[in-house]
């Protein structure tokens, strides 16, 4: 299974953009890149996903490198409620539909 | 019921006892998953089911079994609990529809094995 590497923690000031990086150098051609976040004492929640092109939704943007070996989750204006652990995940493309979570990045938002 | 429910919310269990964690979804999703999350760590996949009647092993399946008799229910059983199975257990279901591909997680079950 392809793995992802993320920084253990990051800090951001409130109302400023945040760029959360993820490396996935062993990604296969059909693996989708998913991002989830986990607020304290809750289960993870979906943020965004993509394959090759950059993606935008109401929560965030996903920028995918041209070689697909890295990606960046962009929160355009961080709020205190965005403080969470963010997981970059590759969805297994073999048809088993397994999602392999890494250890994630703990985002701290400063008021 | 809306979404995914898990029961119990928390449990303290003596080592060697048998325990079944329940998971029910009302969204008619085909795929369901069980994860464990140890303190301060990420989630690890225990077992999954792509559709009713089928199951598969994840990263850490030893000591656990699952069944998927119908679409809604996906129970996880610890046949003989050991202290290393102390963890928070999350159940999830997956919706894939066109460009949508999302897992929905339950609130978790906090299990302590003594």
């Amino acid at each position: 299974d392809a793995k992802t590497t993320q920084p253990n923690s990051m800090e951001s000031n409130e109302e400023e953009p945040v760029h959360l990086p993820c490396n996935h150098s062993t990604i296969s051609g059909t693996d989708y890149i998913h991002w989830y976040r986990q607020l304290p004492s809750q289960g993870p929640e979906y943020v965004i996903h993509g394959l090759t092109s950059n993606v935008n939704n109401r929560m965030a943007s996903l920028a995918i490198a041209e070689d697909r070996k890295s990606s960046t989750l962009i929160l355009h204006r961080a709020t205190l409620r965005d403080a969470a652990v963010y997981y970059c995940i590759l969805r297994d493309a073999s048809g088993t539909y397994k999602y392999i979570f890494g250890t994630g990045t703990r985002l701290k938002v400063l008021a | 019921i809306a979404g995914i429910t898990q029961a119990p919310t928390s449990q303290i269990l003596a080592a060697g006892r048998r325990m079944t964690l329940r998971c029910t979804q009302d969204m008619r999703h085909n795929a369901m998953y069980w994860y464990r999350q140890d303190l301060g760590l990420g989630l690890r996949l225990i077992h999954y089911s792509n559709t009713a009647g089928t199951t598969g092993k994840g990263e850490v399946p030893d000591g656990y079994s699952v069944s998927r008799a119908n679409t809604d229910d996906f129970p996880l059983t610890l046949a003989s609990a050991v202290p290393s199975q102390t963890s928070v257990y999350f159940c999830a279901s997956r919706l894939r529809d066109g460009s949508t591909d999302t897992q929905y997680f339950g609130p978790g079950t906090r299990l302590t094995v003594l």
Side-chain angles (χ1 to χ4, degrees), chain A residues 1 3 32 34 36 38 41-46 49 87 89 91 95-104 106, chain B residues 31 33 35 37 40-45 48 50 57-59 90 94 96 99-103 105-107:
Chain A
D1 296 322
K3 301 293 185 184
Y32 278 78
H34 289 245
Y36 281 74
Q38 187 174 22
S41 300
Q42 295 187 26
E45 63 176 351
Y46 171 82
H49 79 283
Y87 294 99
I89 304 153
R91 182 179 67 75
T96 59
Y97 308 125
K98 291 190 292 185
Y99 295 74
I100 306 299
F101 282 72
T103 54
R106 182 174 298 278
Chain B
Y33 307 83
Y35 296 89
Q37 185 172 34
L41 300 180
L43 280 76
R44 291 185 291 169
L45 181 66
Y48 65 96
N50 288 337
K57 294 181 179 181
E59 302 171 84
F90 290 102
R94 175 181 180 235
R96 187 172 186 204
S99 62
T100 299
D101 186 349
T102 303
Q103 282 192 87
F105 285 81

Side-chain angles (χ1 to χ4, degrees), chain B residues 4 7 21 26 36 51 58 69 80-81 86 91 98-99 105 109:
Chain B
I4 293 184
L21 307 184
D26 65 353
R36 62 176 287 174
T51 188
S80 179
T86 294
C91 178
S99 62
F105 285 81
T109 293

Side-chain angles (χ1 to χ4, degrees), chain B residues 1-89:
Chain B
I1 299 178
I4 293 184
T5 58
Q6 292 184 236
T9 302
S10 65
Q11 182 75 44
I12 298 174
L13 189 66
R17 297 295 295 270
R18 179 184 179 90
M19 176 75 191
T20 295
L21 307 184
R22 299 185 298 279
C23 175
T24 299
Q25 54 115 351
D26 65 353
M27 298 176 284
R28 309 300 295 171
H29 293 167
N30 283 326
M32 296 187 75
Y33 307 83
W34 272 106
Y35 296 89
R36 62 176 287 174
Q37 185 172 34
D38 299 330
L39 189 64
L41 300 180
L43 280 76
R44 291 185 291 169
L45 181 66
I46 305 171
H47 285 286
Y48 65 96
S49 169
N50 288 337
T51 188
T54 69
T55 62
K57 294 181 179 181
E59 302 171 84
V60 288
D62 294 342
Y64 305 95
S65 63
V66 291
S67 62
R68 188 87 185 279
N70 58 61
T71 297
D72 298 344
D73 301 299
F74 190 41
L76 176 74
T77 297
L78 290 68
S80 179
V82 294
S84 62
Q85 292 177 310
T86 294
S87 191
V88 179
Y89 291 86

